[in-house]
Amino acid sequence: MANVSHPRGDITSHPDASEMRARYARMLGGRDVALVDGPVFLLGLYCAVSPWILHFTANQPALVPHNLIVGIAIGLLALGFTRAPERMYGLSWAMCAMGVWMIISPWIVGDGPDAGVVWNNIVIGALAVILGAVCAVTAAKSVPRP
């Protein structure tokens, strides 16, 4: 029987090593997914639970489902960025738009928000704009030029 096992830790002698490296590089688009997608997911998670963390469920009831829905949307975008980066990074600008919406939403959706609610949404929105721009720049760099 032929010995098809390879020594541990050394995959360079594997017959499919170059194909696996090429597939891995193609899948990731030459970037490290955890650098952008992890913080985007955590931002979406925090946005979704922020009404309960900052206890503005009683004085701003309209912002509770708003932050929950926008947070879930940001989290789903992050999961999409991780799962299919070559397809989803075109939606990076949508995350920037959600960030701008988060910045202005306390005055549109809320009813006389206090400073804590306003600052919470401004920080979440600013981070969403920044991370969305980073995702868009990453996508622009990974697109092959003709």
Side-chain angles (χ1 to χ4, degrees):
M1 187 185 273
N3 182 10
V4 293
S5 63
H6 298 282
R8 286 200 172 269
D10 184 25
I11 196 166
T12 57
S13 63
H14 192 279
D16 296 329
S18 61
E19 180 185 341
M20 287 187 291
R21 279 192 197 103
R23 185 182 307 158
Y24 184 73
R26 202 172 45 246
M27 180 185 75
L28 292 179
R31 64 173 194 81
D32 188 4
V33 293
L35 291 178
V36 179
D37 303 340
V40 171
F41 182 75
L42 290 175
L43 180 69
L45 181 65
Y46 173 74
C47 180
V49 299
S50 65
W52 294 278
I53 291 174
L54 297 177
H55 303 291
F56 62 84
T57 55
N59 61 353
Q60 292 297 321
L63 281 173
V64 174
H66 170 268
N67 280 22
L68 179 65
I69 291 168
V70 172
I72 290 171
I74 291 173
L76 288 175
L77 274 176
L79 291 175
F81 293 159
T82 302
R83 186 77 177 138
E86 65 279 349
R87 289 187 234 156
M88 290 294 293
Y89 271 107
L91 293 175
S92 301
W93 295 112
M95 196 168 86
C96 291
M98 281 195 286
V100 171
W101 171 249
M102 282 299 293
I103 291 172
I104 62 173
S105 67
W107 296 283
I108 296 173
V109 177
D111 183 32
D114 61 350
V117 173
V118 170
W119 278 109
N120 178 62
N121 280 17
I122 287 175
V123 169
I124 290 172
L127 287 173
V129 168
I130 291 168
L131 290 172
V134 168
C135 290
V137 168
T138 302
K141 287 182 180 180
S142 66
V143 173
R145 304 271 168 147

